Amino acid sequence: MQNEILENGKKNSKEEIHNQLYQHPNSSILGYRLRLHLYNLAKPNADSSYHAWLEQHPRTHRNLTGLLSEKQVGRLGKSFAVSGFSQFLKNTGEPPVLFEENRMNRSVIRLKNYYFNQGFFNTTIQTTVDSLAEQKTKVTYKIETGQAYKIDSVSTHISTPALDSLYRKNASKSLVMPEKTYNAKDFEAERKRITSNFRNNGAYYFQESNIHYVVDTIYNQHKATVELIIDDRTVKSGDTLKQIPFKIYKISDVNIFTNNTSKKNENIADSISFNNFNIYSANKLEYRPKALTDAIFITKGSTFSDFRRVLTSRSISNLRIFNYPSIEYLEDKRDSTGQSLVANVFLTPRKKMTLNPSLDVTHSNIQDFGIAGNMGLVIRNVFRGAEILDIGLRGSIGSSREMANPNNIFLNVSEYGVDVKLSFPRLFFPIKTEGIIPKSMLPRTMMSFGLSRQQNIGLDKENFTGIINYNWTPKRNTSYSLDLLNLQYVRNTNPANYFSVYKSSFNTLNNIAIRNEVNNDYFDADGNLTIADGGANQFITDVLTGKTPINAGSDDYQTVRSIEERRVRLSENNLIIAANISFTKSSKTDIKDNNFYTFKTKVESAGGLTSLLTKSGNSNISENGNRTLLNVEFSQYVKTEIDFVKYWDLGRQQVIAFHTFGGLAVPYGNSNSIPFSRSYFAGGSNDNRAWQSYRLGPGSSGAINDFNEANMKLFASTEYRFNITGKWNGALFLDAGNIWNIFDHIEDKAYTFNGVKSLGDIAIGSGFGIRYDFSFFVFRLDLGFKTYNPSKPTGEKWFRELNFGKAVINVGINYPF
């Protein structure tokens, strides 16, 4: 079956209009009706066909009965071997859509309603049904909309003077205005705007249903007059209904019940009045009054406001020590005018302490498979000010093909550590910040400390982190995060094992040593440079000090020097004392929203303040002439990032997703390169999926190192996502990007970004993927093909590796962006 909509003689393929139809063609993937073909592969009546086959083969029937009972032979017709596969095809597939005249007529009615709501009051629709081929039908809807009606004038009849006054103050914001084309959506949105305006300004009993419109068309002029009618409030008095004006209410009292058991004012053991709030508790009050009142935006003497109620609910939930609150308003019978409300806020505390054990199967850019365990302890209201203390013990073991593994041990990666986080529901700062960041922005302070040890067959590490973070939300979809202090100290505990981990560097060095016939003391019995005995390191020292036949300035000399610079950089201890600020804005409304954007940007600076503090005296100078803190050279750099994601919902579970990222980190002062932990890499399941992680770039260099990273990155990705059947989804993707060195110690032009011409080094990968939605997470399998490889010679960059033998398999959890 096929549908065609002709609007005023022109074909209209807009999904919004086609969604008005009651019958749609069978779904397709790039024009192929996969689910229909799967359905047609199924046997219509597999069970009946089985019994008919038995009747036609009596000898086989007797043999089966000899092995099984007659009843069991009959049941075979319902088994998976006989009818189960056909049933699977039916469930997975999609039955053919058959034309029904009744559904076509209902579609006409729905289309007329759709166009009427767009202002086309005189729409006419004719339908024709044609046979395209055997068992194929085409339905054409010929729509003549006529001229759309415009609003000629808008008048109001608002019975309550107070509401009439509120309306006129904001009349300029009305969505229903003269000369606008009539649109039912404008009237719906205007109802919500008026209701929100009234309820945020004291009209407690006002509802959207109190708003009515009378629309009258002017004959032959295609114009309509609109009258807005808001009658008085209807209340029941005995057995009769009467109308009274709406009242503007103020809050006379705010009562906070810290235990839901005290809802009826029973069992109240403790109470206190603080800043015009009344706080009640069924037991001894466990919270400092200010910690509670700071989260309440409903205040005594203020006008009733829905916005304040919603903000209070969000603020209390943000404390993370109570469940979602219950807020009720009661008329204050003490007020003879009947214009006062008592606000009761009922809080249900969470458990003081919660133990959260967890066990996860993990996958990352380096770790192919891992098992991670965590034991977390959450202690709430630590200092009676709604503070939360999180203590976590974690450990993991995993397998990585990226690590040197001479003994072929499967679980060759391990890590264990402890993390402590203390959060405050306010800005913990020595000066007042209320004027800059008010409590309505839900500010929070988080202090965290972590200590971990990583043990691999490689460079073992000890890592200490300390963070002081502030975050706040100026608007519902906008947030800021400020790391006043972001400290990281990385200590490499096994630097002598460098060449066992970075095999490509070792192989290059080993080939140079063999080629130049240098001192045999560097080599082992197999003729290779020794690692454990220091032959490789001694060879480097001798080359750079002129004790070998390799001349300074030669290509081999430059290569050895580069290898040594990289070895020192990756095996030295790192001290990073940074500060950063991040901004995030998103239009996403809920978890099911597939038509939104998210914009993130971040600026980070490291080492600036530390440099000022260590300027006095020469005792803070290292052998390399760099400044140190606690005998460790600290890093200095400035870093900025921009991240943008956009989703387009195409309907019928089809989405186009776009992601772009740009990052640049510039070393200065104490540093001529960026610490490995803060640098960029390319490739992997969440990046360019045609390359493995750390196997792309920098530039056109060909990723000759084991872990290729740099200080600049550009990346963009587009995915077309579609549903295959049920919880199975598919995707087609195109990834593009690379990393480069710029403004650092690398000078090789194959590695560095040299202006616009370096954009030719952007690698392009394409591929397809299959995903299964487990509801709480998505399992993802993507196959990436190198479409444009910048490291290949001219003439071999495009389409030379589009084959399954060179494809990269990516396993991931959840979507890449």
Side-chain angles (χ1 to χ4, degrees), residues 725-773:
T725 178
K727 293 187 175 183
W728 289 98
N729 298 289
L732 301 175
F733 59 82
L734 186 70
D735 300 330
N738 208 332
I739 56 174
W740 293 267
N741 291 96
I742 186 171
F743 305 132
D744 63 1
H745 67 295
I746 301 297
E747 298 177 356
D748 190 330
K749 289 188 176 182
Y751 290 74
T752 57
F753 188 82
N754 306 298
V756 177
K757 64 180 181 180
S758 290
L759 296 179
D761 296 337
I762 290 179
I764 300 176
S766 57
F768 59 88
I770 188 168
R771 291 89 190 267
Y772 186 83
D773 190 348

Side-chain angles (χ1 to χ4, degrees), residues 362-408:
T362 61
H363 169 80
S364 68
N365 292 313
I366 295 179
Q367 190 169 270
D368 304 303
F369 169 80
I371 300 174
N374 184 73
M375 181 64 70
L377 175 64
V378 180
I379 306 174
R380 299 180 177 88
N381 198 36
V382 181
F383 307 118
R384 298 181 63 242
E387 304 86 1
I388 296 178
L389 178 65
D390 288 289
I391 303 173
L393 298 175
R394 54 187 169 85
S396 66
I397 54 175
S399 175
S400 175
R401 288 172 296 178
E402 307 293 339
M403 295 297 180
N405 196 356
N407 297 322
N408 200 27

Side-chain angles (χ1 to χ4, degrees), residues 316-335:
I316 291 172
S317 299
N318 194 54
L319 294 178
R320 293 172 52 208
I321 62 172
F322 298 106
N323 293 327
Y324 197 80
S326 172
I327 301 174
E328 71 173 12
Y329 295 90
L330 301 174
E331 289 194 41
D332 191 346
K333 302 192 182 303
R334 298 171 299 179
D335 184 1

Side-chain angles (χ1 to χ4, degrees), residues 631-646:
N631 295 321
V632 180
E633 295 182 7
F634 55 86
S635 299
Q636 284 187 278
Y637 62 86
V638 176
K639 184 179 184 181
T640 183
E641 298 176 348
I642 295 177
D643 193 303
F644 180 74
V645 173
K646 179 72 174 82

Side-chain angles (χ1 to χ4, degrees), residues 20 88 97 125 163 172-173 184 222 323 350 374 380 540 580 584 645 665 800-801 814:
Q20 308 305 314
F88 167 77
V97 177
I125 302 177
L163 297 189
S172 61
K173 298 179 181 178
H222 292 96
N323 293 327
R350 296 186 183 184
N374 184 73
R380 299 180 177 88
I540 292 174
N580 64 66
T584 303
V645 173
R800 292 300 181 92
E801 298 171 89
N814 294 326

Side-chain angles (χ1 to χ4, degrees), residues 648-686:
W648 289 272
D649 192 343
L650 305 181
R652 298 191 180 185
Q653 302 184 65
Q654 299 176 92
V655 174
I656 289 181
F658 173 74
H659 176 217
T660 184
F661 174 88
L664 174 65
V666 180
Y668 73 94
N670 228 35
S671 303
N672 60 9
S673 63
I674 301 301
F676 184 84
S677 61
R678 304 295 170 100
S679 61
Y680 299 111
F681 69 92
S685 60
N686 295 325

Side-chain angles (χ1 to χ4, degrees), residues 20 22 105-121 123-125 143 182-185:
Q20 308 305 314
Y22 278 93
N105 294 333
R106 290 168 61 194
S107 296
V108 170
I109 295 172
R110 183 184 276 182
L111 282 169
K112 284 186 175 181
N113 290 334
Y114 170 82
Y115 281 100
F116 185 92
N117 290 333
Q118 305 295 316
F120 299 100
F121 297 159
T123 301
T124 60
I125 302 177
I143 302 170
Y182 176 93
N183 193 313
K185 289 183 178 179

